[in-house]
Amino acid sequence: MGGILAEGRSRGPFVGLAAVLVPCLVLGVLGLGVEGRLEPTSLKVAGTASARGQALAEEHFGASSPFAVLLRGPGAAIERQGPGLVRALRRDPAVTVVSPWDRGAVAALRPGPRRAIVLLDYHLPLGVAMRRTVPALERTLRARVHPPLEAIQSGYASVSRALQSESLKATERAELIAAPLLLIVLLLVFRSVLAAAIPLAFGALTVFAGRGVLVLLDSAMTVEALSVVVCTMMGLALGVDYSLFIVSRFREELERGASPRQAALATRRTAGRATLFAGATLFTSIFLSAFLQPGSLLLSLATALVVVTPISVAIASLALPALLELLGERINAGAIGRRGRAGRRPGVAAAAGAALRRPAAAAALIAAPLVLLAAPALAFNTGAPGVGELPGSSPARRSAEAIDRAVGPGWEAPFEIVVAARRGPITTPRRLALLARAQRRIAAQPGVRAVIGPAPIESAVRPLRGLGGRLAAGGRDGPAQLSRLGPGLRRAAGAVERLRGGLSRATAGSGLLAAGSARAGAGAGLLAAGLDRAAAGGERASD
């Protein structure tokens, strides 16, 4: 019986370690595909006028992802290649194209002899347009536009795609910079290679597992690039912080003469409980604040913190003590420099003890440099993400700036005004006239380059408005002509129907005639063969 209990105790650390590490590793494998599931950053805030306008537009017209394509080059090349490009783009049923070669108020799309603008609106969600439409549009432009003509495209989907790519690249660079710095700091604290490597490894494991949870949450909510960035930053910070606390406590227990198992139990009972309390406090505050976030942007931040906090707590309080119990005194492997005598605190711990004895002075010494470092944040000029957030070498930024220089800003992200009627059609004369007046007023505003709207429809149907009045003004002749026109149209329709019936019968007769001709041909063939045999028999009779 004692042997069985001893075997169970020896397996205990392995079981506890595997119970946490295996799910984290599985989540880490799932998280490798999180970049392909990211959605563009959304600035929509529920309850605002812009959110109501977007909901109205999606209700009546579906999703919208606008693009602007600039054709730049000789005028002859634009006239030669531009219409072909427009025809190629219109083969896609998911896109609406407005070009300088269309009828209507599109003169602003040809601001000069060497420039032309083609406006595209893909009826797709922004996330789909960002992942699929942007590369597909680039391929179409490369295939259809040739020198000396140049084609440049831009749109919110293109900028969002570039922003996500740059955010992920910046996160990777931050990881490469932070990892060696953290290792140096941990080496200074622990003076042991293995003790310093464990918090860093568990921090990285927290990041990978958090990305896997974001992949699982993708079906229930929007996962933006900012979620992955915050998951990486805070996952690494919390994972290293909590693990550092656990490793420090375990080493203190070993220095006091405790066995590895006793040290692990004491660490879980003290430092593990403190870690659990700290993590629960952070989790509860962030989780409750998530319900108060006005938009998906801040919700992404809260979601990332809610994901990585319990993972870091579980790793630090459950898996790490089990690993430390297995390592025992080997936790000090790879010692750097001389270790202090038993019972003597290292330099960092001694400094922490001194700070606790004089909390006011320590708080002032810590707060003063932090306030100085945070002071420049007061001059932040906050705003929506855009091309200004991209580096100067970004192709998306160069394309957007080229369009701005050539034809002015705003084409790649136009304002869309949606008007819907509560009752009846929107195309009544009164409503069309109202829309036309509103369009002219908007076009007259300073800074507005062009307005493309229903005004041409209103001007085109204006000659038809007096038709009824003129017919009524013709006295009895007008209504009489209309009354005679109705039966005439019915007779014409009947004649067309009879003509269709005659053509159908003629087609059937032609089929029968063709079948009869085929049978007659077959009979003639048989008759010819019989005559040949009769002639051969006559020749034999003559012989």
Side-chain angles (χ1 to χ4, degrees):
M1 186 68 178
I4 297 175
L5 292 176
E7 185 179 357
R9 291 194 203 99
S10 63
R11 290 181 179 179
F14 289 101
V15 174
L17 190 61
V20 178
L21 294 187
V22 171
C24 288
L25 292 176
V26 172
L27 290 173
V29 173
L30 291 176
L32 296 177
V34 69
E35 287 81 4
R37 300 171 177 263
L38 298 178
E39 294 292 331
T41 299
S42 175
L43 302 178
K44 182 173 68 174
V45 178
T48 60
S50 61
R52 291 194 298 270
Q54 184 174 349
L56 188 64
E58 292 177 354
E59 177 185 356
H60 291 277
F61 301 102
S64 175
S65 297
F67 290 84
V69 177
L70 171 65
L71 299 178
R72 186 168 56 182
I78 292 177
E79 293 298 331
R80 185 172 60 253
Q81 300 184 38
L85 173 64
V86 171
R87 287 193 297 271
L89 292 171
R90 281 178 172 155
R91 293 193 188 105
D92 187 352
V95 64
T96 298
V97 183
V98 180
S99 75
W101 299 276
D102 298 335
R103 294 181 180 180
V106 292
L109 300 182
R110 194 66 188 273
R114 296 179 58 86
R115 294 167 294 170
I117 286 285
V118 179
L119 301 181
L120 311 175
D121 188 5
Y122 284 86
H123 310 304
L124 299 169
L126 194 57
V128 177
M130 182 187 69
R131 290 190 294 269
R132 302 177 186 174
T133 304
V134 173
L137 179 58
E138 289 285 354
R139 289 194 297 268
T140 301
L141 296 180
R142 286 194 298 268
R144 292 287 177 175
V145 179
H146 308 286
L149 192 62
E150 181 185 11
I152 302 171
Q153 69 83 20
S154 184
Y156 187 64
S158 303
V159 175
S160 296
R161 180 184 175 93
L163 284 171
Q164 283 195 0
S165 177
E166 291 297 330
S167 298
L168 295 176
K169 289 180 181 178
T171 303
E172 293 174 358
R173 290 194 296 268
E175 290 174 345
L176 294 176
I177 295 173
L181 291 178
L182 281 174
L183 184 58
I184 292 173
V185 172
L186 292 172
L187 286 173
L188 293 176
V189 172
F190 291 126
R191 297 183 180 276
S192 167
V193 174
L194 184 58
I198 287 177
L200 188 60
F202 277 62
L205 184 62
T206 302
V207 173
F208 291 137
R211 291 189 175 195
V213 176
L214 291 180
V215 170
L216 297 178
L217 291 177
D218 176 64
S219 59
M221 60 170 296
T222 299
V223 178
E224 301 179 0
L226 193 58
S227 302
V228 179
V229 173
V230 174
C231 175
T232 301
M233 295 170 56
M234 295 304 299
L236 188 62
L238 292 176
V240 171
D241 186 22
Y242 293 159
S243 298
L244 185 152
F245 187 35
I246 297 293
V247 172
S248 298
R249 186 74 177 107
F250 179 79
R251 296 181 78 199
E252 289 180 2
E253 292 295 329
L254 288 181
E255 290 178 356
R256 292 174 181 172
S259 66
R261 179 170 179 77
Q262 292 172 343
L265 292 176
T267 299
R268 185 181 287 113
R269 187 174 58 253
T270 55
R273 186 180 300 173
T275 300
L276 181 62
F277 179 78
T281 303
L282 179 61
F283 177 86
T284 303
S285 59
I286 298 300
F287 181 78
L288 294 178
S289 69
F291 294 97
L292 305 176
Q293 304 301 334
S296 62
L297 181 62
L298 296 179
L299 182 60
S300 299
L301 297 174
T303 301
L305 282 172
V306 166
V307 165
V308 298
T309 300
I311 295 175
S312 60
V313 170
I315 290 175
S317 60
L318 299 178
L320 187 51
L323 176 63
L324 295 175
E325 181 180 349
L326 293 174
L327 290 175
E329 292 290 344
R330 292 190 295 273
I331 188 64
N332 298 315
I336 299 175
R338 292 183 305 172
R339 293 181 56 194
R341 295 187 301 272
R344 181 178 178 182
R345 293 185 174 184
V348 175
L356 292 176
R357 288 192 297 271
R358 298 178 180 83
L365 290 175
I366 295 173
L370 290 178
V371 170
L372 294 176
L373 291 173
L378 299 176
F380 275 166
N381 184 15
T382 59
V387 293
E389 307 297 325
L390 297 172
S393 59
S394 171
R397 178 169 182 169
R398 291 201 302 267
S399 297
E401 290 176 346
I403 293 177
D404 291 349
R405 289 192 300 267
V407 294
W411 291 98
E412 68 274 8
F415 285 91
E416 296 179 359
I417 300 177
V418 182
V419 180
R422 295 184 181 275
R423 295 193 188 91
I426 197 69
T427 52
T428 61
R430 180 175 175 274
R431 287 170 176 169
L432 283 178
L434 180 63
L435 292 175
R437 289 195 300 271
Q439 179 176 335
R440 287 191 290 269
R441 284 198 300 269
I442 294 173
Q445 296 292 325
V448 177
R449 297 296 302 270
V451 179
I452 300 174
I457 301 176
E458 191 270 340
S459 59
V461 302
R462 192 179 300 149
L464 301 177
R465 292 178 183 170
L467 179 60
R470 289 196 298 272
L471 289 174
R476 297 178 179 178
D477 294 336
Q481 291 173 1
L482 290 177
S483 62
R484 288 195 298 272
L485 180 61
L489 290 176
R490 285 193 296 272
R491 288 195 296 272
V496 170
E497 190 64 30
R498 289 193 296 275
L499 178 60
R500 289 178 177 174
L503 290 175
S504 299
R505 290 192 294 273
T507 302
S510 299
L512 293 174
L513 179 60
S517 299
R519 289 195 291 271
L526 294 174
L527 179 60
L531 290 174
D532 290 339
R533 288 194 296 271
E539 290 178 358
R540 288 195 298 273
S542 299
D543 294 339

PDB file of all heavy atoms in Angstrom, residues 11 37 50 82 87 180 200 211 219 263 319 365 431 459 497 504-505 514:
ATOM      1  N   ARG A  11       3.848  10.466  -9.302  1.00  0.00           N
ATOM      2  CA  ARG A  11       3.172  10.821 -10.549  1.00  0.00           C
ATOM      3  C   ARG A  11       2.399  12.126 -10.431  1.00  0.00           C
ATOM      4  O   ARG A  11       2.010  12.699 -11.450  1.00  0.00           O
ATOM      5  CB  ARG A  11       2.195   9.709 -10.940  1.00  0.00           C
ATOM      6  CG  ARG A  11       2.883   8.428 -11.392  1.00  0.00           C
ATOM      7  CD  ARG A  11       1.847   7.404 -11.792  1.00  0.00           C
ATOM      8  NE  ARG A  11       2.464   6.170 -12.247  1.00  0.00           N
ATOM      9  CZ  ARG A  11       1.776   5.093 -12.648  1.00  0.00           C
ATOM     10  NH1 ARG A  11       0.446   5.124 -12.604  1.00  0.00           N
ATOM     11  NH2 ARG A  11       2.412   4.020 -13.053  1.00  0.00           N
ATOM     12  N   ARG A  37      -7.644  34.967 -39.770  1.00  0.00           N
ATOM     13  CA  ARG A  37      -9.033  35.173 -39.350  1.00  0.00           C
ATOM     14  C   ARG A  37      -9.311  36.594 -38.883  1.00  0.00           C
ATOM     15  O   ARG A  37     -10.409  36.888 -38.427  1.00  0.00           O
ATOM     16  CB  ARG A  37      -9.387  34.204 -38.212  1.00  0.00           C
ATOM     17  CG  ARG A  37      -9.251  32.739 -38.596  1.00  0.00           C
ATOM     18  CD  ARG A  37      -9.400  31.862 -37.374  1.00  0.00           C
ATOM     19  NE  ARG A  37      -9.352  30.455 -37.690  1.00  0.00           N
ATOM     20  CZ  ARG A  37     -10.429  29.677 -37.863  1.00  0.00           C
ATOM     21  NH1 ARG A  37     -11.624  30.211 -37.725  1.00  0.00           N
ATOM     22  NH2 ARG A  37     -10.314  28.405 -38.154  1.00  0.00           N
ATOM     23  N   SER A  50     -23.774  57.559 -37.132  1.00  0.00           N
ATOM     24  CA  SER A  50     -23.055  56.794 -38.150  1.00  0.00           C
ATOM     25  C   SER A  50     -23.425  55.318 -38.099  1.00  0.00           C
ATOM     26  O   SER A  50     -23.550  54.662 -39.141  1.00  0.00           O
ATOM     27  CB  SER A  50     -21.547  56.963 -37.960  1.00  0.00           C
ATOM     28  OG  SER A  50     -21.150  56.475 -36.691  1.00  0.00           O
ATOM     29  N   GLY A  82      -8.769  52.130 -70.522  1.00  0.00           N
ATOM     30  CA  GLY A  82      -9.739  52.368 -69.459  1.00  0.00           C
ATOM     31  C   GLY A  82     -11.061  51.642 -69.656  1.00  0.00           C
ATOM     32  O   GLY A  82     -11.521  50.916 -68.757  1.00  0.00           O
ATOM     33  N   ARG A  87     -14.910  47.131 -68.295  1.00  0.00           N
ATOM     34  CA  ARG A  87     -15.683  45.939 -68.697  1.00  0.00           C
ATOM     35  C   ARG A  87     -15.216  44.704 -67.931  1.00  0.00           C
ATOM     36  O   ARG A  87     -16.025  43.869 -67.514  1.00  0.00           O
ATOM     37  CB  ARG A  87     -15.546  45.721 -70.206  1.00  0.00           C
ATOM     38  CG  ARG A  87     -16.314  46.725 -71.051  1.00  0.00           C
ATOM     39  CD  ARG A  87     -16.386  46.272 -72.487  1.00  0.00           C
ATOM     40  NE  ARG A  87     -15.060  46.197 -73.106  1.00  0.00           N
ATOM     41  CZ  ARG A  87     -14.463  47.207 -73.730  1.00  0.00           C
ATOM     42  NH1 ARG A  87     -15.076  48.385 -73.833  1.00  0.00           N
ATOM     43  NH2 ARG A  87     -13.276  47.066 -74.274  1.00  0.00           N
ATOM     44  N   PRO A 180      15.148  39.073 -25.283  1.00  0.00           N
ATOM     45  CA  PRO A 180      16.493  39.141 -24.686  1.00  0.00           C
ATOM     46  C   PRO A 180      16.570  40.115 -23.518  1.00  0.00           C
ATOM     47  O   PRO A 180      17.294  39.860 -22.544  1.00  0.00           O
ATOM     48  CB  PRO A 180      17.384  39.589 -25.852  1.00  0.00           C
ATOM     49  CG  PRO A 180      16.468  40.176 -26.855  1.00  0.00           C
ATOM     50  CD  PRO A 180      15.169  39.479 -26.705  1.00  0.00           C
ATOM     51  N   LEU A 200      10.260  33.154 -18.682  1.00  0.00           N
ATOM     52  CA  LEU A 200      10.183  33.579 -20.082  1.00  0.00           C
ATOM     53  C   LEU A 200       9.463  32.527 -20.925  1.00  0.00           C
ATOM     54  O   LEU A 200       8.622  32.861 -21.775  1.00  0.00           O
ATOM     55  CB  LEU A 200      11.591  33.826 -20.613  1.00  0.00           C
ATOM     56  CG  LEU A 200      11.686  34.465 -22.007  1.00  0.00           C
ATOM     57  CD1 LEU A 200      11.014  35.822 -22.016  1.00  0.00           C
ATOM     58  CD2 LEU A 200      13.145  34.595 -22.416  1.00  0.00           C
ATOM     59  N   ARG A 211      -3.656  33.027 -28.123  1.00  0.00           N
ATOM     60  CA  ARG A 211      -4.003  33.131 -29.545  1.00  0.00           C
ATOM     61  C   ARG A 211      -4.947  31.999 -29.960  1.00  0.00           C
ATOM     62  O   ARG A 211      -5.850  32.206 -30.774  1.00  0.00           O
ATOM     63  CB  ARG A 211      -2.732  33.087 -30.389  1.00  0.00           C
ATOM     64  CG  ARG A 211      -1.866  34.329 -30.242  1.00  0.00           C
ATOM     65  CD  ARG A 211      -0.755  34.335 -31.259  1.00  0.00           C
ATOM     66  NE  ARG A 211       0.014  35.555 -31.215  1.00  0.00           N
ATOM     67  CZ  ARG A 211       0.855  35.940 -32.165  1.00  0.00           C
ATOM     68  NH1 ARG A 211       1.058  35.170 -33.228  1.00  0.00           N
ATOM     69  NH2 ARG A 211       1.519  37.082 -32.065  1.00  0.00           N
ATOM     70  N   SER A 219     -15.695  32.695 -34.025  1.00  0.00           N
ATOM     71  CA  SER A 219     -17.045  32.427 -34.507  1.00  0.00           C
ATOM     72  C   SER A 219     -18.110  33.189 -33.736  1.00  0.00           C
ATOM     73  O   SER A 219     -19.245  33.294 -34.205  1.00  0.00           O
ATOM     74  CB  SER A 219     -17.342  30.917 -34.421  1.00  0.00           C
ATOM     75  OG  SER A 219     -17.206  30.469 -33.085  1.00  0.00           O
ATOM     76  N   ALA A 263       8.537  22.632  -0.475  1.00  0.00           N
ATOM     77  CA  ALA A 263       8.683  23.966  -1.046  1.00  0.00           C
ATOM     78  C   ALA A 263       7.586  24.233  -2.080  1.00  0.00           C
ATOM     79  O   ALA A 263       7.035  25.347  -2.149  1.00  0.00           O
ATOM     80  CB  ALA A 263      10.065  24.111  -1.694  1.00  0.00           C
ATOM     81  N   ALA A 319       0.639  24.667 -12.987  1.00  0.00           N
ATOM     82  CA  ALA A 319       1.682  23.924 -13.703  1.00  0.00           C
ATOM     83  C   ALA A 319       3.069  24.214 -13.151  1.00  0.00           C
ATOM     84  O   ALA A 319       3.904  23.313 -13.016  1.00  0.00           O
ATOM     85  CB  ALA A 319       1.622  24.265 -15.194  1.00  0.00           C
ATOM     86  N   LEU A 365       9.914  57.792  -4.815  1.00  0.00           N
ATOM     87  CA  LEU A 365      11.018  57.491  -5.721  1.00  0.00           C
ATOM     88  C   LEU A 365      10.540  56.770  -6.989  1.00  0.00           C
ATOM     89  O   LEU A 365      11.092  56.962  -8.074  1.00  0.00           O
ATOM     90  CB  LEU A 365      12.070  56.640  -5.003  1.00  0.00           C
ATOM     91  CG  LEU A 365      12.871  57.356  -3.914  1.00  0.00           C
ATOM     92  CD1 LEU A 365      13.785  56.367  -3.192  1.00  0.00           C
ATOM     93  CD2 LEU A 365      13.692  58.500  -4.526  1.00  0.00           C
ATOM     94  N   ARG A 431     -40.146  63.383 -54.105  1.00  0.00           N
ATOM     95  CA  ARG A 431     -38.954  62.904 -53.409  1.00  0.00           C
ATOM     96  C   ARG A 431     -37.710  63.030 -54.276  1.00  0.00           C
ATOM     97  O   ARG A 431     -36.623  63.362 -53.788  1.00  0.00           O
ATOM     98  CB  ARG A 431     -39.165  61.459 -52.974  1.00  0.00           C
ATOM     99  CG  ARG A 431     -40.137  61.339 -51.805  1.00  0.00           C
ATOM    100  CD  ARG A 431     -40.532  59.904 -51.531  1.00  0.00           C
ATOM    101  NE  ARG A 431     -41.396  59.824 -50.342  1.00  0.00           N
ATOM    102  CZ  ARG A 431     -42.060  58.735 -49.980  1.00  0.00           C
ATOM    103  NH1 ARG A 431     -41.957  57.624 -50.720  1.00  0.00           N
ATOM    104  NH2 ARG A 431     -42.813  58.744 -48.900  1.00  0.00           N
ATOM    105  N   SER A 459     -33.716  64.887 -63.308  1.00  0.00           N
ATOM    106  CA  SER A 459     -33.728  65.717 -64.515  1.00  0.00           C
ATOM    107  C   SER A 459     -34.179  64.904 -65.727  1.00  0.00           C
ATOM    108  O   SER A 459     -34.782  65.453 -66.656  1.00  0.00           O
ATOM    109  CB  SER A 459     -32.335  66.297 -64.755  1.00  0.00           C
ATOM    110  OG  SER A 459     -31.385  65.258 -64.908  1.00  0.00           O
ATOM    111  N   GLU A 497     -49.219  36.318 -79.801  1.00  0.00           N
ATOM    112  CA  GLU A 497     -49.396  34.982 -79.245  1.00  0.00           C
ATOM    113  C   GLU A 497     -49.744  33.981 -80.346  1.00  0.00           C
ATOM    114  O   GLU A 497     -49.242  32.849 -80.369  1.00  0.00           O
ATOM    115  CB  GLU A 497     -50.505  35.019 -78.178  1.00  0.00           C
ATOM    116  CG  GLU A 497     -50.627  33.749 -77.362  1.00  0.00           C
ATOM    117  CD  GLU A 497     -49.387  33.490 -76.527  1.00  0.00           C
ATOM    118  OE1 GLU A 497     -48.720  34.471 -76.134  1.00  0.00           O
ATOM    119  OE2 GLU A 497     -49.092  32.304 -76.288  1.00  0.00           O
ATOM    120  N   SER A 504     -44.607  27.632 -83.493  1.00  0.00           N
ATOM    121  CA  SER A 504     -44.418  26.355 -82.805  1.00  0.00           C
ATOM    122  C   SER A 504     -44.907  25.199 -83.663  1.00  0.00           C
ATOM    123  O   SER A 504     -44.258  24.156 -83.794  1.00  0.00           O
ATOM    124  CB  SER A 504     -45.156  26.359 -81.462  1.00  0.00           C
ATOM    125  OG  SER A 504     -44.653  27.391 -80.628  1.00  0.00           O
ATOM    126  N   ARG A 505     -46.127  25.391 -84.297  1.00  0.00           N
ATOM    127  CA  ARG A 505     -46.640  24.321 -85.168  1.00  0.00           C
ATOM    128  C   ARG A 505     -45.742  24.129 -86.384  1.00  0.00           C
ATOM    129  O   ARG A 505     -45.509  23.004 -86.836  1.00  0.00           O
ATOM    130  CB  ARG A 505     -48.071  24.651 -85.592  1.00  0.00           C
ATOM    131  CG  ARG A 505     -49.077  24.534 -84.439  1.00  0.00           C
ATOM    132  CD  ARG A 505     -50.507  24.587 -84.973  1.00  0.00           C
ATOM    133  NE  ARG A 505     -50.823  25.888 -85.557  1.00  0.00           N
ATOM    134  CZ  ARG A 505     -51.276  26.927 -84.860  1.00  0.00           C
ATOM    135  NH1 ARG A 505     -51.452  26.816 -83.543  1.00  0.00           N
ATOM    136  NH2 ARG A 505     -51.540  28.067 -85.460  1.00  0.00           N
ATOM    137  N   ALA A 514     -38.706  16.383 -91.450  1.00  0.00           N
ATOM    138  CA  ALA A 514     -37.326  15.904 -91.405  1.00  0.00           C
ATOM    139  C   ALA A 514     -37.278  14.412 -91.099  1.00  0.00           C
ATOM    140  O   ALA A 514     -36.509  13.650 -91.691  1.00  0.00           O
ATOM    141  CB  ALA A 514     -36.531  16.678 -90.348  1.00  0.00           C
TER     142      ALA A 514
END
